[in-house]
Structure formats: structure tokens, C-alpha cells
């Protein structure tokens, strides 16, 4: 992580930042976040990230602070400049303070802050030129769980799933839901190509509505690449001609190994075309405000 953060609109040194010890975010994990890709010193797909963050905050019972998309975007631009970030990642977090029941903390002094807004930045992790290795996770996604499909700060389930895969020397893992349907990777959405058609799990499987996922669906339509959002089992993935992952951290990550299969990514592959289209979109200058 970079040395400076912004807390409720105030720039701070990360090492000196202080938050109350007993909050709903600490005790119960009541908070939401999003990770934004930074290119050319700008937050890529910012409106989509903010809209999803607001929607997830409502679902998780996190009250929005007195900030809007434009204000937070300006604060993020200040932070990017302070940390000298041209390319990297930004994490935007809404952390609930108020607790209920036995762990409730009685407020004193001024009107208490209900939700903390934290902005932080970091370098993007390196991605191997050899592509990503993929395995099957033993951990299932429960589509009936209230946090399924939400980027909650209670993210330990996903972290443990990724660590389990990495403990077996894989970069990522495919997760299934309780019905045996493909959902996603541990930290990314998943796509695959079969006979010229792209496939990705429908959100009804428990998949996260990823901003990069949505962007790739739009780019595929522009490139006349047929895409089906559906419900699939592992047999469909085993028949794939190409597999790739999508997230703000990865962009479009090419998978070169899955389930004893090796995938040779040719220059004319759909994944390469989509990755280049995504790169070109990232390089575009933002439209000027009216």
C-alpha cells in the first residue's frame, strides 16, 4: 500500500491513521468496498464502481456518508497525485461504525460519524507472461447467503479460497455453488470460449456483478463476439477453447492451464482481441464535463 490515504475527505499518512476500535466494521465486518483500476492517473470505470458501491452499501445495511460520486472522485484524484500513481489500484471502503446489542458503544461529544470513507492506493500486482494457472476450489458459494454477490469487507471466505489454491501452486481457482454450477474464480469473474461463442456464468449463480465483466460484455457486443450468460457445470468449462478471467486487478487475465489442459493463446484469439479493446478503452481521454 502507498504511504498516504484519505479518511472522510482528510489526507493522512497511512501509518498515522486512527479509527475507533469497536465498530460494526471491526466486530461484524459491516462494510463494503471496491477496487478500481488506475491508468494514466485516472480511475477507470469510476461511475460504475461508485454505483455498485452504493448499491452494495444499501444491501449490507451501511449508511452512506455525506459524499457523492463527484466528491469522492476528486478526493481520489488528490490521493493519486499525492502518492504519484500513474498505474495501479485504488481501494474505496465504506465502513460502518454504529454497533447494536451488547457491543454497542455509547457516543460522546459531537454527533457521531455513522460511516467512515477510506481511500487507499497500491501498485498493481505483476502478472506473469506465462498466463494464469487455474484449479478447482473445494469451497462452494452459497447462493442463499445474504452477502453473496456483495463486495463486503467480510472477504475472508474468498481470501481463504485463493490461499488454498496458491498453496497448491495455482494462481486462481474455479468456485462452484451448492448446485454444482460454475460461479467465478475466487477473486475474478470467469469467461471461456467454445466454438466461437463466449460464455460467462449468470449472476443468478452467485457471481459478482463485476465492473470489468460488464465492460467486457459491452466490448464483445461492439466486436460482434457472441456472448451467452448462462448456468453451466464443469463439463462446459472442460470443453473450452480459451479461458480468461476479468477483474479490476487483472484486467483481462489469460488462463494457460486448467485441469490438465494447456491453452496456447494465439494472436487471433478472442481473449487477445478483447484484452486489446479493453486496453484501448483504458487509454482514452475522459470526456470533458459540460
Amino acid at each position: 500500500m502507498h504511504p498516504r490515504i484519505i479518511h472522510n475527505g482528510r489526507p493522512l499518512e497511512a501509518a498515522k491513521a486512527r479509527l475507533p476500535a469497536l465498530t460494526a466494521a471491526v466486530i461484524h465486518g459491516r462494510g463494503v468496498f471496491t477496487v478500481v483500476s488506475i491508468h494514466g492517473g485516472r480511475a477507470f470505470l469510476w461511475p460504475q464502481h461508485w454505483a455498485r458501491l452504493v448499491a452494495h452499501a444499501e444491501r449490507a445495511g451501511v449508511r452512506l456518508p455525506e459524499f457523492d460520486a463527484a466528491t469522492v472522485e476528486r478526493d481520489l484524484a488528490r490521493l493519486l497525485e499525492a502518492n504519484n500513481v500513474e498505474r495501479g489500484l485504488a481501494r474505496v471502503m465504506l465502513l460502518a461504525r454504529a454497533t447494536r446489542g451488547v457491543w454497542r458503544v455509547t457516543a460522546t461529544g459531537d454527533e457521531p460519524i455513522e460511516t467512515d470513507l477510506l481511500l487507499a492506493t497500491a501498485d498493481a500486482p505483476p502478472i506473469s507472461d506465462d498466463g494464469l494457472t487455474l484449479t478447482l476450489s473445494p469451497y462452494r458459494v452459497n447462493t442463499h447467503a445474504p452477502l453473496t454477490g456483495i463486495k463486503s469487507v467480510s472477504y475472508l471466505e474468498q481470501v481463504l479460497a485463493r490461499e488454498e489454491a496458491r498453496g497448491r501452486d495455482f494462481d486462481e481457482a474455479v468456485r462452484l455453488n451448492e448446485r454444482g454450477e460454475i460461479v467465478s474464480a475466487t477473486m475474478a469473474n470467469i469467461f471461456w470460449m467454445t466454438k466461437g461463442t463466449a460464455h460467462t456464468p449468470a449472476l443468478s449463480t452467485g457471481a459478482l456483478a463485476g465492473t470489468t465483466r460488464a465492460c467486457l460484455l459491452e466490448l464483445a457486443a461492439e466486436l460482434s463476439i457472441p456472448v451467452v450468460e448462462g448456468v453451466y457445470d464443469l463439463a462446459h468449462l472442460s470443453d473450452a477453447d480459451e479461458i480468461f478471467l476479468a477483474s479490476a486487478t487483472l484486467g483481462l487475465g489469460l488462463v494457460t492451464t486448467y485441469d490438465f489442459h494447456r491453452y496456447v493463446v494465439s494472436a487471433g484469439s478472442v481473449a487477445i482481441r478483447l484484452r486489446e479493446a479493453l486496453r484501448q478503452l483504458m487509454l482514452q481521454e475522459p470526456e470533458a464535463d459540460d
Side-chain angles (χ1 to χ4, degrees):
M1 193 173 76
H2 296 148
R4 295 176 181 84
I5 66 169
I6 288 184
H7 173 220
N8 294 338
R10 295 175 53 237
L12 295 170
E13 292 183 35
K16 296 181 179 179
R18 298 292 182 269
L19 289 172
L22 297 178
T23 66
V26 173
I27 296 174
H28 303 302
R30 190 182 292 269
V32 292
F33 75 99
T34 190
V35 175
V36 186
S37 180
I38 306 300
H39 290 267
R42 296 182 290 108
F44 183 57
L45 301 177
W46 171 250
Q48 294 91 324
H49 277 282
W50 179 257
R52 187 183 65 185
L53 189 67
V54 170
H56 286 190
E58 182 177 359
R59 288 178 59 190
V62 178
R63 294 192 180 184
L64 287 177
E66 296 299 319
F67 295 98
D68 56 25
T71 301
V72 179
E73 186 176 22
R74 287 193 295 270
D75 283 345
L76 184 53
R78 291 165 56 205
L79 183 62
L80 295 175
E81 183 177 0
N83 284 330
N84 193 28
V85 182
E86 280 294 310
R87 184 177 182 280
L89 300 171
R91 186 180 176 103
V92 183
M93 295 166 275
L94 295 174
L95 307 176
R97 280 203 187 186
T99 55
R100 303 184 181 97
V102 68
W103 300 112
R104 182 181 180 186
V105 178
T106 303
T108 59
D110 298 334
E111 185 70 20
I113 295 172
E114 290 187 302
T115 303
D116 288 290
L117 173 62
L118 287 180
L119 309 179
T121 62
D123 294 330
I127 299 174
S128 172
D129 292 336
D130 296 331
L132 301 169
T133 57
L134 194 61
T135 186
L136 177 64
S137 175
Y139 305 130
R140 297 284 179 114
V141 174
N142 178 9
T143 59
H144 301 291
L147 292 180
T148 299
I150 295 179
K151 285 191 77 88
S152 162
V153 294
S154 303
Y155 224 55
L156 186 58
E157 182 176 317
Q158 289 86 342
V159 170
L160 291 175
R162 184 175 64 174
E163 289 178 350
E164 190 278 334
R166 291 188 172 180
R168 293 189 280 129
D169 295 326
F170 290 94
D171 297 310
E172 258 287 7
V174 178
R175 297 192 69 193
L176 308 179
N177 63 22
E178 76 278 7
R179 298 185 295 270
E181 301 162 351
I182 300 170
V183 177
S184 64
T186 68
M187 298 282 183
N189 291 111
I190 188 168
F191 289 78
W192 63 92
M193 296 296 303
T194 305
K195 297 180 180 179
T197 297
H199 301 268
T200 193
L203 300 183
S204 63
T205 64
L208 176 75
T211 55
T212 306
R213 174 187 184 274
C215 184
L216 288 179
L217 291 175
E218 293 179 4
L219 290 174
E222 292 174 9
L223 295 173
S224 299
I225 299 168
V227 182
V228 178
E229 298 178 70
V231 176
Y232 304 98
D233 57 29
L234 282 176
H236 292 91
L237 194 59
S238 298
D239 292 336
D241 301 314
E242 299 179 63
I243 302 175
F244 51 97
L245 306 183
S247 72
T249 301
L250 290 172
L252 189 155
L254 303 173
V255 172
T256 51
T257 302
Y258 167 67
D259 190 28
F260 303 106
H261 294 277
R262 289 282 299 173
Y263 299 93
V264 179
V265 183
S266 62
S269 76
V270 171
I272 293 293
R273 289 171 59 199
L274 282 172
R275 187 174 68 174
E276 178 58 21
L278 183 64
R279 188 183 74 86
Q280 292 296 330
L281 187 61
M282 289 174 175
L283 294 175
Q284 289 180 9
E285 291 294 327
E287 295 182 1
D289 294 333
D290 295 333

